[in-house]
Amino acid sequence: MKNYYYLFLLSLLFSFSSNAQKVFSADYENQADVKVYVVKYENQADLLVYKVEYENQVSENQGKWFFTKYVNQSKKKIYFVSYENQADLKIYFVKYENQAGWKNKSKMQLLF
């Protein structure tokens, strides 16, 4: 019985760690998986993003991002572009966690 308990806890741990939307902000465009532009208004965005403080607060591809310090800790590498027409994805940073989410679901595959 004890072994099943440990097996359950282990599988639970791995399921949480694999669902994280962890991103790394690349220094150069050619290092990035996705080019991102931050829009001025919420209604212009494809994705509303909420920055979380801790890795365990995020969920997979739902707009809650944890910015990693090192590239090997991230799931996606992003690069912030200067112009909207250079971007693969337009985002808007929201103040509250419950505001995060996709506005243009056709772009979701960029972060899988």
Side-chain angles (χ1 to χ4, degrees):
M1 186 70 166
K2 203 175 202 180
N3 289 338
Y4 290 116
Y5 177 73
Y6 289 124
L7 185 61
F8 173 73
L9 285 179
L10 189 60
S11 66
L12 193 61
L13 177 67
F14 282 118
S15 68
F16 282 128
S17 65
S18 65
N19 285 335
Q21 190 67 41
K22 299 181 283 185
V23 296
F24 177 78
S25 182
D27 292 328
Y28 302 101
E29 186 176 344
N30 64 349
Q31 297 172 331
D33 300 318
V34 182
K35 294 179 279 183
V36 175
Y37 179 75
V38 180
V39 295
K40 291 182 181 180
Y41 304 102
E42 184 177 329
N43 64 347
Q44 299 171 322
D46 298 319
L47 176 63
L48 303 178
V49 175
Y50 179 75
K51 287 173 38 175
V52 297
E53 290 185 48
Y54 303 103
E55 188 176 340
N56 65 348
Q57 295 176 310
V58 295
S59 58
E60 187 172 340
N61 211 359
Q62 307 235 342
K64 297 173 190 170
W65 286 5
F66 176 75
F67 284 85
T68 63
K69 291 183 181 180
Y70 304 103
V71 68
N72 64 342
Q73 297 172 335
S74 69
K75 192 168 185 179
K76 286 290 177 181
K77 295 172 288 217
I78 61 170
Y79 178 75
F80 290 99
V81 295
S82 301
Y83 301 101
E84 187 175 345
N85 64 347
Q86 298 172 320
D88 301 319
L89 181 66
K90 295 179 282 183
I91 66 167
Y92 180 81
F93 287 105
V94 294
K95 292 182 182 180
Y96 303 104
E97 185 176 355
N98 65 345
Q99 295 174 311
W102 286 96
K103 308 241 339 157
N104 183 355
K105 293 190 185 249
S106 68
K107 303 261 182 149
M108 283 180 80
Q109 82 280 355
L110 292 172
L111 296 179
F112 275 118

